[in-house]
Amino acid sequence: MLIRLAALWKKECLALARDRHGLAALFIMPTVFILVMSLALADSLSGQRNATLAYATLDLDGTPVSRALDEQLSATELLNRQVSPPSEDDARSQVETGRLAFVLIIPQGFARQIGANQTPTLRFLVDPAIPGMVRNGFRQHVEAIVIRVWLAHVLEHLGQSMMLPELHRVTGRVGAPDIVLESVTHGGSGGAPLALPSAVQQNVPAWLIFSMFFVVIPISAVFIGERQRGTLQRLRAQRVSFGLVLAGKFAPFVLVNQLQAVVMVAIGRWLVPLFGGEALTLPDGAGALAALWLLSLAVSAAAVGWALLIASLARSSEQATVLGGGGNILMGAIGGIMVPRFVMPVTMQPWTRLSPMDWALEGFHHVMLRQGNVMDILPAAFMLACFGLATLIAASLLNHRISRA
Amino acid sequence: MIRFNGIYYRYRPGAPPALDGAAFNIRRGSVHGLLGPNGAGKTTLISILAGLRPLQDGSITIDGEPLAVWRAARPNAIALVPQDYAFYPMLTVAENLDFFAGVQGIARKQRRHNCLEAMRFARLETVAQRRADELSGGLRRRLNLAIGLTGAPEILLLDEPTVGVDPQSRRFLLEAVRQFAAISRRTVLYTSHYMEEIETVCSDIAIVDSGKVLAQGPLSEVKGGQNLEQVFLQLTRDSAWE
């Protein structure tokens, strides 16, 4: 039995080593994804670096109150204030060409409205390419500053009319509160505030999972070739059971998946920083590493099972590429690989649970972001293993039917 | 002696039988030709003997033992050489041979010996390190045959082994088949559409049509002094009328 298995394993390894397209899908594609996405989303996900969201104000009021609004807005770390445009037409032109993301127009009479306790009307000129979430964030930020400006004005007015100079001093202290963000992690409460997960921390597990499922390309290429050339039939005539053929494919590709995990982690840790991104940090402790390894084994089981099912269903390599590649992209889209689950509408979020990639990502997040251990990832690992087993059984039944036809 | 007795096989319930009581004998040590038009049941017969399809009715015995019992005692004793190039194009000739010997459970030393023998027999030594997808059609046919020999089989099942090869390669393959059978008790079951091949290489034949064996025995007896093609056409035409 071992001699037979060793022969099957060796053949799979040789076939994969000579399959340039398969290797590219397994190693180069996720490397590029991790590199590009980690750098592209560095500012959006980390919150630790200044963004370069360019904006300008057009102050048509020119009063101390409107200037106070402008100054407080320019103190915002996430925004990059540009020189005020000379006119609204010029402001519009700069937004239209994409040089400015926003222009805040403070209308004439703004200070008078504040003084009269009337609701002032501010106008934004917005680049339509700016996401709604960012637009709303900017709008709420401006609203908060206007309320602070208005409150300072009211307190100062009250101080003057009630002859209470303390109120005048209070107005100088009305500002944005300091807010400390703390990541809630496994056993991490009560400690020092932890850094929020960076883009590389989010992207390495996501694209690793995605690439692990891409074993469907090399597996189906070899398997369909075996079926079309009559090699599978020849193996059956040599009394090689289909279970043995499956085992012959399973172990080498699980090994390939583990190699992918090591390579992708290395890329996150050492290659991404070379391009200016943040380095991937792995959780400390043997428990966390054991959890990561167990989880990657479970992902392998699911990915290889899925690949064998696709290879059994497809009649040609082209079909397998469409079914397997398309299926992976769909699982990735639903499963929060391409669009994080928290960005999705609330009505769509429960649907992510249908994708094995979501189970895997949830497991990796438990360990890599929340400092979880083996117990935390067991449900995800169990579901992935069940998925792998179910797809293997389906592949076996399908092949049994095909071989009897 | 390999005895086929009343072999019946139907692919699906309700479908016409692919084999309908086929019965014939193959002498051990002979090259036995299996002749028949497309859909006659030749491949089904070979598939059953190779263990690819179950025996639904009838019996097959080899040297007096039921096929399953005989095979269980000699796992690599029957080898199938299919019509397709059933090997791995991305592997070299040597790697293909080693793989197919390995999946038969042959240990490393014996495997090495068997592969060298098979390579020598098919005269593939000079292309041992070439990838299979770089070989010509004739060399691919030889590799297909050599793979069948890696388990040192007693019974070789050849399904249209010369399709698509040049005359030189065909001559070589036919000579190789004769040499294989010349070794004590090695038996070849050979299917082909080419009458001249059957006449060149086979000592016995069976003519099959519509799942039945229409004639069988030594080639000269079946021919009865006539041209083989005439006999074949006469028998299969009669079968079609019936």
Side-chain angles (χ1 to χ4, degrees):
Chain A
M1 176 68 93
L2 266 179
I3 294 172
R4 289 167 169 236
L5 261 180
L8 287 162
W9 290 340
K10 186 180 168 189
K11 179 262 294 176
E12 288 298 336
C13 293
L14 286 170
L16 180 64
R18 288 164 196 177
D19 178 6
R20 280 181 293 175
H21 295 109
L23 286 174
L26 293 180
F27 289 97
I28 296 175
M29 180 196 71
T31 302
V32 172
F33 269 131
I34 286 174
L35 208 54
V36 171
M37 300 304 278
S38 297
L39 297 176
L41 297 175
D43 293 336
S44 316
L45 288 175
S46 75
Q48 292 167 356
R49 286 159 40 142
N50 291 341
T52 52
L53 204 61
Y55 85 101
T57 50
L58 181 59
D59 185 359
L60 300 176
D61 196 36
T63 59
V65 176
S66 64
R67 277 194 291 276
L69 168 61
D70 191 11
E71 279 165 21
Q72 288 196 37
L73 193 60
S74 67
T76 311
E77 282 181 4
L78 294 169
L79 300 171
N80 182 8
R81 191 186 188 284
Q82 304 292 306
V83 177
S84 295
S87 64
E88 185 171 332
D89 283 345
D90 189 67
R92 284 181 182 278
S93 153
Q94 290 198 45
V95 172
E96 200 177 297
T97 55
R99 284 189 56 221
L100 293 174
F102 303 104
V103 173
L104 170 65
I105 301 177
I106 306 173
Q108 208 172 14
F110 172 73
R112 188 170 34 81
Q113 285 178 310
I114 292 277
N117 289 335
Q118 292 173 348
T119 309
T121 304
L122 297 168
R123 283 195 298 136
F124 288 111
L125 304 180
V126 185
D127 180 355
I130 300 298
M133 227 162 55
V134 178
R135 282 204 302 264
N136 287 338
F138 185 76
R139 181 191 168 141
Q140 284 168 9
H141 189 57
V142 170
E143 278 174 8
I145 292 173
V146 169
I147 288 168
R148 282 206 298 275
V149 167
W150 176 77
L151 185 60
H153 174 78
V154 167
L155 287 173
E156 188 165 349
H157 185 70
L158 268 177
Q160 281 174 359
S161 58
M162 296 172 73
M163 308 287 276
L164 292 169
E166 292 82 8
L167 281 179
H168 178 70
R169 283 197 293 275
V170 168
T171 58
R173 296 201 295 268
V174 176
D178 285 336
I179 297 172
V180 176
L181 294 178
E182 184 184 342
S183 302
V184 179
T185 61
H186 185 87
S189 61
L194 292 164
L196 287 172
S198 62
V200 72
Q201 214 73 5
Q202 297 262 8
N203 277 303
V204 168
W207 295 109
L208 169 63
I209 294 162
F210 193 63
S211 66
M212 284 169 96
F213 273 82
F214 264 88
V215 290
V216 71
I217 302 293
I219 286 184
S220 55
V222 173
F223 190 80
I224 290 166
E226 284 176 324
R227 203 170 56 212
Q228 286 178 342
R229 287 189 297 270
T231 319
L232 277 184
Q233 202 178 37
R234 183 170 218 162
L235 289 174
R236 277 182 55 220
Q238 290 183 325
R239 317 194 101 192
V240 179
S241 68
F242 188 67
L244 201 62
V245 172
L246 286 187
K249 292 185 184 301
F250 200 83
F253 280 97
V254 166
L255 203 67
V256 166
N257 276 166
Q258 301 310 302
L259 189 64
Q260 280 182 296
V262 171
V263 171
M264 297 312 138
V265 165
I267 282 163
R269 213 170 160 86
W270 291 294
L271 189 65
V272 173
L274 288 181
F275 285 85
E278 290 176 40
L280 176 78
T281 52
L282 286 175
D284 296 326
L289 290 178
L292 282 180
W293 182 64
L294 182 66
L295 196 62
S296 66
L297 278 180
V299 178
S300 288
V304 177
W306 160 252
L308 288 168
L309 178 62
I310 292 294
S312 307
L313 276 171
R315 287 168 189 268
S316 65
S317 293
E318 290 78 13
Q319 260 189 21
T321 306
V322 172
L323 278 175
N328 281 356
I329 290 168
L330 194 64
M331 279 198 281
I334 294 174
I337 301 291
M338 292 159 188
V339 181
R341 193 202 300 169
F342 64 84
V343 174
M344 295 178 185
V346 176
T347 49
M348 192 162 173
Q349 287 185 13
W351 292 95
T352 61
R353 301 303 294 160
L354 291 176
S355 167
M357 289 193 193
D358 174 76
W359 313 336
L361 193 58
E362 188 67 15
F364 275 110
H365 281 176
H366 267 305
V367 185
M368 294 183 80
L369 304 182
R370 301 180 195 121
Q371 313 286 316
N373 56 29
V374 172
M375 293 306 289
D376 295 308
I377 58 99
L378 276 184
F382 177 73
M383 283 171 76
L384 287 163
C386 286
F387 177 81
L389 191 65
T391 45
L392 269 182
I393 291 170
S396 292
L397 292 175
L398 209 59
N399 276 281
H400 185 71
R401 212 181 64 183
I402 291 168
S403 65
R404 292 289 170 209
Chain B
M1 187 77 84
I2 305 170
R3 291 182 190 278
F4 293 80
N5 190 22
I7 308 297
Y8 183 91
Y9 192 87
R10 199 192 284 273
Y11 281 89
R12 274 178 299 279
L19 292 172
D20 191 7
F24 69 109
N25 302 327
I26 300 174
R27 280 188 301 114
R28 298 301 302 276
S30 68
V31 179
H32 198 106
L34 202 54
L35 268 175
N38 289 333
K42 305 185 296 290
T43 303
T44 311
L45 258 174
I46 280 194
S47 299
I48 291 171
L49 190 55
L52 295 173
R53 299 195 177 278
L55 196 56
Q56 290 176 348
D57 201 6
S59 66
I60 300 174
T61 58
I62 302 178
D63 301 335
E65 287 182 46
L67 174 64
V69 175
W70 190 87
R71 265 210 102 169
R74 304 163 187 84
N76 302 327
I78 300 179
L80 171 69
V81 178
Q83 191 178 333
D84 299 318
Y85 296 129
F87 47 74
Y88 294 92
M90 74 295 273
L91 301 188
T92 65
V93 168
E95 286 165 351
N96 265 299
L97 292 172
D98 185 62
F99 167 70
F100 282 101
V103 290
Q104 292 175 82
I106 301 168
R108 183 195 289 251
K109 201 174 166 188
Q110 183 64 43
R111 196 161 75 225
R112 194 176 163 76
H113 173 260
N114 287 10
C115 290
L116 281 173
E117 281 293 302
M119 220 183 297
R120 202 170 296 142
F121 186 83
R123 294 196 203 145
L124 289 168
E125 302 103 313
T126 54
V127 292
Q129 299 310 319
R130 271 174 66 184
R131 276 173 59 138
D133 56 4
E134 294 168 355
L135 301 178
S136 66
L139 285 172
R140 287 180 197 206
R141 280 279 161 224
R142 288 199 226 170
L143 174 59
N144 215 24
L145 173 67
I147 288 169
L149 304 178
T150 52
E154 289 181 36
I155 299 167
L156 191 61
L157 311 176
L158 298 172
D159 193 7
E160 310 266 358
T162 60
V163 169
V165 298
D166 54 79
Q168 287 92 335
S169 295
R170 176 176 294 169
R171 183 177 295 178
F172 171 81
L173 285 165
L174 295 180
E175 185 54 37
V177 170
R178 262 206 297 254
Q179 279 180 25
F180 175 84
I183 298 168
S184 169
R185 294 184 62 76
R186 282 188 173 178
T187 309
V188 177
L189 182 57
Y190 190 103
T191 76
S192 178
H193 284 113
Y194 303 113
M195 303 292 161
E196 70 277 13
E197 269 184 24
I198 295 284
E199 288 193 271
T200 306
V201 82
C202 297
S203 53
D204 305 85
I205 64 164
I207 297 175
V208 189
D209 195 16
S210 305
K212 292 187 171 76
V213 175
L214 306 178
Q216 63 147 327
L219 180 64
S220 54
E221 280 183 25
V222 174
K223 281 168 72 177
Q226 285 182 285
N227 180 297
L228 180 60
E229 190 167 345
Q230 282 176 334
V231 175
F232 175 75
L233 288 174
Q234 181 62 47
L235 284 169
T236 52
R237 191 167 52 228
D238 290 348
S239 162
W241 279 114
E242 281 166 20

